Amino acid sequence: MSGYVLGLGEIDDTRVSLCGGKGAHLGELSRIEGVQVPPGFCVTTEAFDRVLRDAPSLGERLDLATDQKEIAARSAEVREEIERLGVPDDVAAAITDALHLLGEETPCAVRSSATAEDLPTASFAGQQDSYLNVVGTAEILRHVSRCWASLFTERAVTYRLRNGFDHRAVRMAVVVQRMVPADSAGVLFTADPVTSSRRISCVEAVPGLGEAFVSGLVNADMYRVLDDEIIEKTVATGQPVLTDEQAVHLTRLGRRIEEHFGRPQDIEWCLAAGGFQFVQSRPITTLFPVPETADDDNHVYVSVGHQQMMTDAMKPLGLSVWQLTTPRPMAVAAGRLFVDVTGILATPQGSAAFLDVADKADPLMGDALRTVLARKGFLPEGEGAGPPFPGTVPAEIDTDPDLVTELIGNAEASVAVLKREIQGKSGPDLVEFVLADFGELRRILFDPRSNQVIMAGMQATWWLNENLLDWLGEKNAADTLTLSAPHNVTSEMGLALLDVADAIRPHPEVVAFLQNAGDDFLDHLPGLAGGQEAYDAIQHYLGKYGMRCVGEIDITRTRWSERPAALLPMILTNVRNFEQGAAAHRFEQGRQEAWKKEQEVLERLLLLPGGEQKAADTKRMIDRVRTFIGYREYPKYGMISRYLVHKQALLEEAGRLAAAGLLESEEDAYFLTLQELHELTRTGQSYGEAIRERREAFKTYEVLTPPRVLTSDGEAINGSYRRDDLPDGALSGLAVSGGTVEGRARVVLNVADADLEPGDVLVTAYTDPSWSPLFVAISGLVTEVGGMMTHGAVIAREYGLPAVVGVAQATRTIQDGQRIRVNGTDGFVEILPTS
């Protein structure tokens, strides 16, 4: 056939640029043994380019659109122009010749096939038009033109813009295929779209061609198939559309297609004359990837991000740095880290201990793990107790405040040595020095005494909550007893930003300037009235906390010291909402509340049978928790302080590599592991193609949501709360900081967008230490991710904020501006009716 038209047999997956995603996949499908595809041809993108040559200004019209209304208007102009131009004569001649082979009066499907369609990263499903039962050459030509025009519908243009595709670079091919007189039709997913299990295939089937199903007018029969066995079947009406044997045979064909393409597929099929034919296959783009393993055994993974309050995708440098930091091996999937806990769960005592820790940290993770354990035969059954899991063994350590001071001093001294010794190093020597320094980082971070201090504080918290509930009926008593505990570097960070606001508030010119300041605002501050004082206060703050940022466990994230303007929304919120001296007042107020609670609890205990012993034990635990609980936040602070030193030196080296032409930019280094960066400095080996591929992959990872628990079958399990004690309509979560508060919900997904007023309740996906300065301005906290001892929970208790974490879909269920009630004692959130 001509350059404007190719038969499906001439097409394979290498011809996406010529035949679009759908056309390339259909050509590839037709090459798979045993897989039938209706005959047809593809009108190539060269034909589309031929049309655009007659209307060169079409792309420019879309470039002028700046908002949704303009996009709609200009898209309509472009579509009308394409349909008016129609099919050029030379293209029409090529299509007419191809139609002779199908039969000119044969009903055909005319289907759009854009070059940005059916891709591994974005399906573009439903964004362009397709037409069925088109008969006759004239009608085929008219509908080819309509398919071209559908590239510029408002929804298609908006979809491309939202997904980062340049509409000027996307081109349209059109597939023309003989219609199949189908007895039934439907969709086959070679992985379960609900659970993501790669072992389960799902079939949806309706009588006829399936138009009514696609239009939502009829329900489909549904079959779930595991290992050639139907494990679930739902028949929509009366007689099943497929026999069980047909459904199983269809899934076998689907597995053959999946194997050919190398990943799970979303397949459109039809059944005619007793045989299955396939009219489309595209990758399923919503599945979370499975970590690679060296064996075919079953594995269970838990998410590191849910424990570290950073569920976003990380770049390769960040992943490698975190893997060098932790002694526990970690698998990577979609830019996230997972720990393989199969061995821990394999023994009864090991699984019991781990589940106990998981329940305390994140009940949803505990429930998800129980879901896996309940499946007979999924995990091997081991014997014996296995090694004790951290957190299950009592911390044998005296309640000694000097130990905390010593540990902090050791960490600070070690960072000071690092800053001094890294000076002047470059090339392989620098990267080797950084690699070697992870030994020192781990020595400080995993000092056995440090872990004992952390565990002692956590265990004392649990002891107080459990025993005071039993003895006095007090829920979460430790929440008040730990207010304003010493050495909590994260809560101190939030209060210190109040002090920065104190330095700015008296100077109206500075306040006005900062409200519209850019990234270079520090350069201009000293020239304003009161600006030097503000400048000094901010620089002092950055000197102590500038290593922090959102998602700080990823070394590639921009630190506050690298972009101080990220602090301005929080500073201005504090200027607006607080009076001078608020930091010292709040800390002392918390300390007094904790002391009063301690006296109250001890007095009540003395009135109980055995009260003197109960009071003495409780006093010891209160002293223990106040001595140790604040240190819980310090090791991460020390680690991030070290990361900043590493990052600054590595970025300087990346600049030298870019200047030498070995990287295109400094930030290319973020898409290399630290080990690869070392190899680059040592040998000059090119990683250009790998960097480009990883940049593209990272875009797809960013839109995926990692599960709490992931199996080697690909099943994503997030767990659920199994409670029947909630008010009607309440959202269940984990109670992490006691008390109840009502207020306006502020749904904030980016800390830089926070615009808070006194009394607001912060609702977000997760919080890490960088969010802590916001806590001084809110009355309560709700997050989708978190546990009893994660940072948001710790700081909420420190500030006395009612908080509920682990509330599934909180940022989608709760609307910004709604009034909500947060019950941080019993662990639920209520959306209040509007007055």
Side-chain angles (χ1 to χ4, degrees), residues 142-289:
R142 186 170 73 86
H143 283 82
V144 166
S145 180
R146 292 181 68 184
C147 283
W148 287 335
S150 75
L151 187 65
F152 301 102
T153 62
E154 180 185 355
R155 70 175 184 273
V157 172
T158 302
Y159 186 95
R160 288 195 295 273
L161 290 172
R162 188 182 303 123
N163 287 275
F165 287 86
D166 182 353
H167 55 256
R168 294 167 301 175
V170 178
R171 300 150 76 210
M172 178 68 83
V174 180
V175 174
V176 179
Q177 280 180 287
R178 183 183 295 164
M179 288 292 299
V180 177
D183 299 319
S184 59
V187 179
L188 163 64
F189 299 96
T190 63
D192 190 330
V194 176
T195 69
S196 297
S197 174
R198 275 36 169 208
R199 293 182 61 199
I200 296 175
S201 294
C202 293
V203 176
E204 294 178 341
V206 295
L209 280 173
E211 301 103 317
F213 171 56
V214 173
S215 303
L217 300 178
V218 299
N219 294 323
D221 289 1
M222 191 275 291
Y223 307 78
R224 297 177 75 239
V225 182
L226 170 65
D227 297 335
D228 289 347
E229 179 182 347
I230 294 175
I231 59 173
E232 183 181 347
K233 179 168 71 173
T234 303
V235 177
T237 54
Q239 190 72 17
V241 174
L242 299 177
T243 67
D244 289 359
E245 292 76 14
Q246 286 174 326
V248 170
H249 178 60
L250 176 59
T251 61
R252 288 175 183 160
L253 291 172
R255 291 295 179 202
R256 189 177 299 176
I257 294 170
E258 177 187 79
E259 183 178 1
H260 181 85
F261 286 112
R263 60 183 299 159
Q265 297 288 299
D266 168 359
I267 301 166
E268 294 180 18
W269 59 269
C270 54
L271 179 62
F276 287 103
Q277 297 197 44
F278 297 91
V279 295
Q280 188 160 323
S281 184
R282 61 168 71 93
I284 304 176
T285 60
T286 56
L287 298 176
F288 199 86

Side-chain angles (χ1 to χ4, degrees), residues 332-350:
V332 177
R336 279 81 169 189
L337 291 165
F338 293 84
V339 174
D340 188 337
V341 295
T342 310
I344 296 171
L345 298 176
T347 65
Q349 290 186 343

Side-chain angles (χ1 to χ4, degrees), residues 46-228:
E46 289 186 4
F48 180 70
D49 291 343
R50 171 71 179 79
V51 175
L52 293 188
R53 285 201 298 273
D54 292 339
S57 66
L58 294 181
E60 295 174 9
R61 296 184 198 178
L62 285 174
D63 290 339
L64 297 174
T66 58
D67 58 29
Q68 196 66 35
K69 187 174 181 180
E70 281 191 86
I71 288 173
R74 294 187 182 278
S75 296
E77 290 176 16
V78 172
R79 291 197 311 276
E80 290 171 5
E81 180 71 3
I82 289 177
E83 291 194 49
R84 185 190 65 78
L85 290 170
V87 180
D89 291 343
D90 48 352
V91 177
I95 294 173
T96 302
D97 289 343
L99 280 172
H100 287 313
L101 300 177
L102 290 181
E104 291 183 39
E105 298 303 313
T106 298
C108 290
V110 183
R111 310 169 69 196
S112 303
S113 180
T115 52
E117 185 175 348
D118 292 354
L119 304 177
T121 56
S123 71
F124 282 78
Q127 298 306 311
Q128 283 87 46
D129 291 343
S130 293
Y131 305 93
L132 304 180
N133 287 309
V134 182
V135 180
T137 301
E139 282 299 293
I140 295 286
L141 294 175
R142 186 170 73 86
H143 283 82
V144 166
S145 180
R146 292 181 68 184
C147 283
W148 287 335
S150 75
L151 187 65
F152 301 102
T153 62
E154 180 185 355
R155 70 175 184 273
V157 172
T158 302
Y159 186 95
R160 288 195 295 273
L161 290 172
R162 188 182 303 123
N163 287 275
F165 287 86
D166 182 353
H167 55 256
R168 294 167 301 175
V170 178
R171 300 150 76 210
M172 178 68 83
V174 180
V175 174
V176 179
Q177 280 180 287
R178 183 183 295 164
M179 288 292 299
V180 177
D183 299 319
S184 59
V187 179
L188 163 64
F189 299 96
T190 63
D192 190 330
V194 176
T195 69
S196 297
S197 174
R198 275 36 169 208
R199 293 182 61 199
I200 296 175
S201 294
C202 293
V203 176
E204 294 178 341
V206 295
L209 280 173
E211 301 103 317
F213 171 56
V214 173
S215 303
L217 300 178
V218 299
N219 294 323
D221 289 1
M222 191 275 291
Y223 307 78
R224 297 177 75 239
V225 182
L226 170 65
D227 297 335
D228 289 347

Side-chain angles (χ1 to χ4, degrees), residues 676-719:
E676 288 170 339
L677 191 58
H678 178 229
E679 188 68 13
L680 178 60
T681 60
R682 196 174 62 83
T683 67
Q685 175 182 340
S686 173
Y687 286 95
E689 186 61 30
I691 290 170
R692 284 188 287 274
E693 290 176 358
R694 291 172 187 178
R695 280 186 180 274
E696 287 303 309
F698 184 74
K699 293 177 184 177
T700 71
Y701 299 158
E702 286 183 295
V703 301
L704 295 176
T705 300
R708 284 175 167 81
V709 173
L710 182 66
T711 73
S712 48
D713 287 345
E715 187 173 4
I717 311 172
N718 281 299

